[in-house]
Amino acid sequence: MAIIFLEANNTGTASDAMLLAAEHGYDLVFVTMQQEFYQALPDNPMKHCSKIITIRDSYNVAEVLAAMRHLDVEAVISFDDYHLVTASLCAQVLGLPHADVPGLVAARYKDLTRELTSHLGGGTWFRTVPEDEIGTIDAESLTYPLVVKPVDESGSVFVRLCHTPADVRAVTDLYRAHVVNTRGYRPRRAVLLEQFIEGDEYSCELYWDAERGWRVAGLTQKYLGGPPHFVERGHVFPAPMPAPLAERVGQQVLRWVEAIGLRGGAAHVECRVNDDGVHLIEVNPRLPGGHITQLVQWCTGIDMVAGFLDFHLRSKIAHSASEPRFAAAASRFIMPEEVSADVTPDEVRAAFARLPSYQRGRVQPGTWSPGRGARTNYDRIGYALLAGAEPARVRSDLDALAHDLGAAAGR
């Protein structure tokens, strides 16, 4: 029996799922329209597959179905934001388990998410601007600061904090030239203007339980790069948050997810927390990227990847929560601006190895382009995963790594 993996994300979650599925005897078939994209990734999912099928358009449901017509398909799965709806539609046609398509669509389009959750609290002021109206925005009348983002993008692509009308015009002009993205996807042509919310940013990790519905695996603290682009630099799990507040955040997130009709699979919901409450950033109807699933498993014993596979395979992969291995864990991405031209990948790896809590990591020489600033998640050039029995030790190692990278870049 074959599992169809329709494209993949860029931070290794698909590879983790493939390795687990292979252990259970499944044939792994990778369907893609851009093999070259994966060749440069630190975790290349194509290395784990028994068969790779290249097609012209992996967003075309009919073409994907035609590509697998001679296979005995057990599941159709995607770990890529842009292909979640396509994978679910293919699974629906084949009578296989899948997340509810209307919920996926509501999460895909950020303006729909805002509309469907606006009555629940934790929302922000927002305005949807279709492409043909972007040029007529009265930017001088807006309240600043605000955030401009596409309604249909991921990975911090064209997300910008704006303080002036000139900022708004600059980012919207760039967006209008953005017709096809890195993944060959043609996003819907509209942007959101949103109130900027001060506060610490977190994500809530949800998994689907066949009997009880959505369950909270935990909260992750997010570390973002400086404005205006907000590129994620790392994560700490579990988030250092008082238990009552964590419970309140989890309950609010569950209300948002139910409101958009999302059911099945997994969800990674981003929010900001301040004295005024919990504020929705966006709902991602998938497993978290950035190696968060590994952090969750280390610290809770919950294997979100196994659960996601199990949902799509009708409970054929036996899994249960194991004992936690660590009290705290973190992922730290390496950004191109953190290394200078004379810093080598081996030197970065050596900096990883000096950290007592270091578990694993990778630097991809093929993407080595020191000095340029990171504008999206695709600009990362490596990562390190840390974990330990003492949260203070993990945080200290994060600081030490930042110091080492800064010292190397400034030499």
Side-chain angles (χ1 to χ4, degrees):
M1 298 293 286
I3 299 176
I4 304 297
F5 289 88
L6 180 61
E7 304 288 3
N9 65 345
N10 66 326
T11 56
T13 315
S15 294
D16 293 341
M18 289 172 178
L19 291 170
L20 180 59
E23 290 177 6
H24 286 77
Y26 287 96
D27 290 329
L28 311 182
V29 179
F30 193 60
V31 177
T32 179
M33 68 178 188
Q34 48 177 194
Q35 287 196 34
E36 68 284 355
F37 173 81
Y38 303 100
Q39 301 289 357
L41 295 182
D43 292 291
N44 181 353
M46 294 191 298
K47 294 179 179 179
H48 310 299
C49 296
S50 56
K51 184 178 181 64
I52 298 172
I53 300 176
T54 301
I55 61 177
R56 185 188 60 83
D57 183 3
S58 59
Y59 297 103
N60 185 314
V61 173
E63 188 172 353
V64 175
L65 288 169
M68 65 177 84
R69 65 191 181 279
H70 298 307
L71 301 173
D72 187 6
V73 178
E74 183 81 1
V76 182
I77 301 174
S78 185
F79 290 85
D80 172 53
D81 279 283
Y82 306 108
H83 289 85
L84 294 170
V85 172
T86 306
S88 286
L89 286 171
C90 290
Q92 186 177 41
V93 169
L94 296 174
L96 301 173
H98 60 280
D100 286 359
V101 173
L104 291 177
V105 172
R108 171 76 245 155
Y109 297 121
K110 297 176 178 61
D111 54 334
L112 297 184
T113 300
R114 289 287 183 208
E115 292 170 10
L116 292 169
T117 60
S118 61
H119 65 291
L120 292 174
T124 63
W125 173 88
F126 72 95
R127 175 182 166 191
T128 306
V129 184
E131 183 180 38
D132 59 0
E133 297 178 14
I134 288 176
T136 64
I137 295 173
D138 182 7
E140 282 73 15
S141 69
L142 299 172
T143 301
Y144 295 90
L146 58 81
V147 174
V148 176
K149 65 173 67 170
V151 301
D152 183 22
E153 263 295 0
S154 300
S156 298
V157 173
F158 287 104
V159 176
R160 178 163 178 168
L161 175 64
C162 298
H163 291 277
T164 67
D167 291 341
V168 172
R169 285 190 283 269
V171 70
T172 52
D173 285 347
L174 285 172
Y175 174 71
R176 281 192 286 182
H178 176 68
V179 178
V180 181
N181 70 13
T182 304
R183 305 309 308 273
Y185 179 70
R186 293 179 176 272
R188 186 177 139 218
R189 311 304 297 160
V191 299
L192 275 179
L193 309 180
E194 295 183 342
Q195 173 189 355
F196 174 64
I197 301 295
E198 297 278 3
D200 295 327
E201 189 159 325
Y202 301 89
S203 61
C204 184
E205 321 310 342
L206 303 180
Y207 63 96
W208 183 261
D209 182 283
E211 296 181 354
R212 298 180 292 177
W214 289 114
R215 309 293 293 173
V216 176
L219 299 178
T220 307
Q221 185 175 26
K222 301 162 70 74
Y223 286 91
L224 305 176
H229 299 295
F230 305 109
V231 178
E232 293 180 4
R233 290 177 175 265
H235 308 97
V236 170
F237 187 92
M241 180 185 290
L245 177 57
E247 176 70 17
R248 183 155 63 93
V249 173
Q251 291 302 314
Q252 178 71 313
V253 165
L254 289 171
R255 287 192 287 269
W256 289 330
V257 171
E258 292 291 346
I260 68 172
L262 185 63
R263 295 177 60 82
H268 168 71
V269 183
E270 298 173 339
C271 61
R272 286 202 170 195
V273 179
N274 59 24
D275 291 341
D276 295 327
V278 185
H279 305 273
L280 177 63
I281 302 298
E282 62 187 43
V283 176
N284 298 284
R286 53 163 172 79
L287 287 170
H291 306 281
I292 292 174
T293 53
Q294 178 65 83
L295 310 186
V296 170
Q297 186 173 9
W298 277 340
C299 297
T300 68
I302 298 171
D303 189 338
M304 296 186 71
V305 174
F308 190 74
L309 280 177
D310 211 33
F311 167 76
H312 288 89
L313 293 167
R314 296 191 174 99
S315 303
K316 292 180 181 177
I317 290 187
H319 72 284
S320 59
S322 58
E323 289 297 317
R325 290 180 55 194
F326 302 107
S331 60
R332 173 60 158 86
F333 299 105
I334 310 305
M335 301 299 185
E337 64 266 25
E338 294 185 288
V339 293
S340 57
D342 58 346
V343 176
T344 68
D346 285 342
E347 289 177 302
V348 176
R349 295 186 190 100
F352 293 170
R354 288 193 291 269
L355 305 173
S357 64
Y358 174 67
Q359 302 299 319
R360 64 181 174 91
R362 192 166 293 179
V363 178
Q364 184 72 358
T367 61
W368 202 250
S369 52
R372 63 184 173 85
R375 290 175 174 265
T376 78
N377 292 351
Y378 295 109
D379 294 325
R380 301 161 176 164
I381 58 178
Y383 68 88
L385 302 186
L386 315 179
E390 299 177 2
R393 173 75 269 174
V394 173
R395 290 182 175 276
S396 175
D397 284 355
L398 286 172
D399 292 340
L401 179 57
H403 178 270
D404 284 353
L405 292 171
R411 73 185 182 192

